[in-house]
Short mmCIF file of all heavy atoms in Angstrom, two decimals:
data_model
loop_
_atom_site.label_atom_id
_atom_site.label_comp_id
_atom_site.label_asym_id
_atom_site.label_seq_id
_atom_site.Cartn_x
_atom_site.Cartn_y
_atom_site.Cartn_z
N ARG W 277 62.19 -7.61 18.79
CA ARG W 277 61.09 -8.46 18.36
C ARG W 277 60.06 -7.64 17.61
O ARG W 277 59.73 -6.54 18.03
CB ARG W 277 60.42 -9.15 19.57
CG ARG W 277 61.19 -10.35 20.08
CD ARG W 277 60.47 -11.04 21.22
NE ARG W 277 60.68 -10.35 22.51
CZ ARG W 277 59.81 -9.52 23.05
NH1 ARG W 277 58.65 -9.28 22.48
NH2 ARG W 277 60.09 -8.94 24.20
N ASP W 278 59.53 -8.21 16.50
CA ASP W 278 58.50 -7.51 15.75
C ASP W 278 57.11 -8.01 16.13
O ASP W 278 56.16 -7.86 15.40
CB ASP W 278 58.72 -7.66 14.24
CG ASP W 278 58.66 -9.11 13.78
OD1 ASP W 278 58.63 -10.00 14.64
OD2 ASP W 278 58.64 -9.35 12.55
N PHE W 279 57.00 -8.60 17.34
CA PHE W 279 55.70 -9.05 17.84
C PHE W 279 55.71 -8.88 19.36
O PHE W 279 56.76 -8.95 20.02
CB PHE W 279 55.45 -10.53 17.47
CG PHE W 279 56.50 -11.47 18.00
CD1 PHE W 279 56.36 -12.10 19.23
CD2 PHE W 279 57.65 -11.72 17.25
CE1 PHE W 279 57.33 -12.96 19.70
CE2 PHE W 279 58.64 -12.58 17.73
CZ PHE W 279 58.47 -13.20 18.97
N VAL W 280 54.52 -8.68 19.91
CA VAL W 280 54.35 -8.48 21.36
C VAL W 280 54.10 -9.81 22.04
O VAL W 280 53.38 -10.65 21.54
CB VAL W 280 53.20 -7.50 21.64
CG1 VAL W 280 52.89 -7.41 23.13
CG2 VAL W 280 53.53 -6.12 21.09
N THR W 281 54.72 -10.00 23.21
CA THR W 281 54.51 -11.18 24.02
C THR W 281 53.72 -10.80 25.29
O THR W 281 53.69 -9.62 25.65
CB THR W 281 55.84 -11.84 24.43
OG1 THR W 281 56.52 -10.94 25.33
CG2 THR W 281 56.71 -12.11 23.21
N PRO W 282 53.14 -11.79 25.98
CA PRO W 282 52.47 -11.47 27.26
C PRO W 282 53.42 -10.83 28.27
O PRO W 282 53.00 -9.98 29.07
CB PRO W 282 51.99 -12.84 27.75
CG PRO W 282 51.83 -13.65 26.51
CD PRO W 282 52.93 -13.20 25.60
N GLU W 283 54.70 -11.20 28.23
CA GLU W 283 55.68 -10.61 29.16
C GLU W 283 55.85 -9.12 28.91
O GLU W 283 56.06 -8.35 29.85
CB GLU W 283 57.01 -11.33 29.03
CG GLU W 283 57.05 -12.75 29.58
CD GLU W 283 56.31 -13.76 28.70
OE1 GLU W 283 56.14 -13.48 27.50
OE2 GLU W 283 55.89 -14.82 29.23
N ASP W 284 55.76 -8.69 27.65
CA ASP W 284 55.83 -7.26 27.34
C ASP W 284 54.67 -6.51 27.98
O ASP W 284 54.85 -5.44 28.58
CB ASP W 284 55.80 -7.04 25.82
CG ASP W 284 56.97 -7.68 25.10
OD1 ASP W 284 58.06 -7.74 25.69
OD2 ASP W 284 56.78 -8.10 23.95
N VAL W 285 53.48 -7.11 27.88
CA VAL W 285 52.30 -6.49 28.46
C VAL W 285 52.43 -6.36 29.98
O VAL W 285 52.16 -5.31 30.57
CB VAL W 285 51.02 -7.29 28.10
CG1 VAL W 285 49.80 -6.74 28.82
CG2 VAL W 285 50.80 -7.29 26.59
N VAL W 286 52.88 -7.44 30.62
CA VAL W 286 53.02 -7.45 32.08
C VAL W 286 54.06 -6.42 32.52
O VAL W 286 53.87 -5.70 33.53
CB VAL W 286 53.40 -8.86 32.57
CG1 VAL W 286 53.74 -8.83 34.06
CG2 VAL W 286 52.27 -9.83 32.30
N PHE W 287 55.17 -6.29 31.76
CA PHE W 287 56.24 -5.36 32.15
C PHE W 287 55.76 -3.92 32.21
O PHE W 287 56.13 -3.17 33.11
CB PHE W 287 57.41 -5.49 31.17
CG PHE W 287 58.54 -4.53 31.46
CD1 PHE W 287 59.47 -4.82 32.45
CD2 PHE W 287 58.66 -3.34 30.74
CE1 PHE W 287 60.52 -3.93 32.73
CE2 PHE W 287 59.71 -2.46 31.00
CZ PHE W 287 60.63 -2.75 32.00
N VAL W 288 54.93 -3.50 31.24
CA VAL W 288 54.53 -2.08 31.16
C VAL W 288 53.25 -1.81 31.93
O VAL W 288 52.89 -0.62 32.11
CB VAL W 288 54.36 -1.64 29.70
CG1 VAL W 288 55.64 -1.84 28.91
CG2 VAL W 288 53.20 -2.35 29.01
N THR W 289 52.54 -2.84 32.42
CA THR W 289 51.23 -2.62 33.01
C THR W 289 51.29 -1.73 34.26
O THR W 289 50.51 -0.77 34.37
CB THR W 289 50.58 -3.97 33.38
OG1 THR W 289 50.25 -4.66 32.17
CG2 THR W 289 49.31 -3.77 34.18
N ALA W 290 52.20 -1.99 35.19
CA ALA W 290 52.26 -1.19 36.42
C ALA W 290 52.61 0.27 36.15
O ALA W 290 51.92 1.16 36.65
CB ALA W 290 53.24 -1.81 37.41
N PRO W 291 53.63 0.58 35.34
CA PRO W 291 53.92 1.98 35.06
C PRO W 291 52.77 2.72 34.35
O PRO W 291 52.59 3.93 34.53
CB PRO W 291 55.15 1.93 34.15
CG PRO W 291 55.79 0.62 34.44
CD PRO W 291 54.67 -0.30 34.76
N VAL W 292 51.97 1.98 33.56
CA VAL W 292 50.86 2.62 32.86
C VAL W 292 49.66 2.85 33.78
O VAL W 292 48.96 3.84 33.68
CB VAL W 292 50.43 1.76 31.63
CG1 VAL W 292 49.13 2.29 31.03
CG2 VAL W 292 51.51 1.75 30.58
N LEU W 293 49.46 1.92 34.74
CA LEU W 293 48.24 1.95 35.54
C LEU W 293 48.38 2.63 36.90
O LEU W 293 47.39 3.12 37.45
CB LEU W 293 47.71 0.54 35.77
CG LEU W 293 47.16 -0.22 34.55
CD1 LEU W 293 46.64 -1.58 34.98
CD2 LEU W 293 46.05 0.58 33.87
N ARG W 294 49.58 2.66 37.48
CA ARG W 294 49.70 3.02 38.90
C ARG W 294 49.20 4.42 39.22
O ARG W 294 48.76 4.69 40.33
CB ARG W 294 51.16 2.86 39.37
CG ARG W 294 52.17 3.74 38.70
CD ARG W 294 53.51 3.73 39.46
NE ARG W 294 54.08 2.41 39.63
CZ ARG W 294 55.19 2.00 38.99
NH1 ARG W 294 55.81 2.81 38.13
NH2 ARG W 294 55.67 0.80 39.19
N HIS W 295 49.25 5.35 38.24
CA HIS W 295 48.78 6.71 38.50
C HIS W 295 47.35 6.92 38.01
O HIS W 295 46.78 7.99 38.19
CB HIS W 295 49.69 7.72 37.80
CG HIS W 295 49.87 7.48 36.33
ND1 HIS W 295 50.48 6.36 35.83
CD2 HIS W 295 49.52 8.22 35.25
CE1 HIS W 295 50.49 6.41 34.50
NE2 HIS W 295 49.90 7.53 34.14
N ARG W 296 46.78 5.88 37.41
CA ARG W 296 45.43 6.02 36.85
C ARG W 296 44.35 5.41 37.74
O ARG W 296 43.18 5.60 37.49
CB ARG W 296 45.38 5.34 35.46
CG ARG W 296 46.14 6.10 34.38
CD ARG W 296 45.98 5.38 33.05
NE ARG W 296 46.24 6.26 31.93
CZ ARG W 296 47.40 6.30 31.27
NH1 ARG W 296 48.39 5.50 31.65
NH2 ARG W 296 47.56 7.13 30.27
N ILE W 297 44.76 4.63 38.72
CA ILE W 297 43.78 4.03 39.62
C ILE W 297 43.88 4.66 41.00
O ILE W 297 44.94 5.17 41.38
CB ILE W 297 43.94 2.50 39.72
CG1 ILE W 297 45.28 2.14 40.37
CG2 ILE W 297 43.83 1.84 38.35
CD1 ILE W 297 45.43 0.65 40.66
N ILE W 298 42.77 4.64 41.73
CA ILE W 298 42.77 5.10 43.12
C ILE W 298 42.29 3.94 43.97
O ILE W 298 41.19 3.43 43.77
CB ILE W 298 41.83 6.32 43.31
CG1 ILE W 298 42.31 7.49 42.44
CG2 ILE W 298 41.79 6.73 44.76
CD1 ILE W 298 41.39 8.71 42.50
N ILE W 299 43.15 3.51 44.90
CA ILE W 299 42.75 2.40 45.77
C ILE W 299 41.82 2.92 46.88
O ILE W 299 41.80 4.11 47.18
CB ILE W 299 43.98 1.68 46.37
CG1 ILE W 299 44.82 2.63 47.23
CG2 ILE W 299 44.82 1.07 45.26
CD1 ILE W 299 45.99 1.93 47.91
N THR W 300 41.04 2.03 47.43
CA THR W 300 40.07 2.41 48.45
C THR W 300 40.77 2.90 49.73
O THR W 300 41.91 2.47 50.00
CB THR W 300 39.16 1.23 48.81
OG1 THR W 300 39.98 0.16 49.32
CG2 THR W 300 38.39 0.76 47.59
N PRO W 301 40.11 3.77 50.50
CA PRO W 301 40.72 4.24 51.75
C PRO W 301 41.06 3.10 52.70
O PRO W 301 42.07 3.14 53.40
CB PRO W 301 39.62 5.14 52.34
CG PRO W 301 38.82 5.60 51.16
CD PRO W 301 38.85 4.45 50.20
N GLU W 302 40.22 2.05 52.71
CA GLU W 302 40.49 0.91 53.59
C GLU W 302 41.80 0.22 53.23
O GLU W 302 42.61 -0.12 54.10
CB GLU W 302 39.33 -0.11 53.51
CG GLU W 302 37.99 0.40 54.00
CD GLU W 302 37.26 1.28 52.99
OE1 GLU W 302 37.69 1.26 51.81
OE2 GLU W 302 36.31 1.95 53.36
#
Side-chain angles (χ1 to χ4, degrees):
R277 281 183 280 101
D278 61 350
F279 59 92
V280 172
T281 67
E283 289 74 22
D284 298 328
V285 174
V286 172
F287 178 80
V288 302
T289 291
V292 171
L293 292 182
R294 63 167 58 109
H295 55 295
R296 289 182 159 99
I297 66 173
I298 298 177
I299 60 176
T300 60
E302 295 80 13

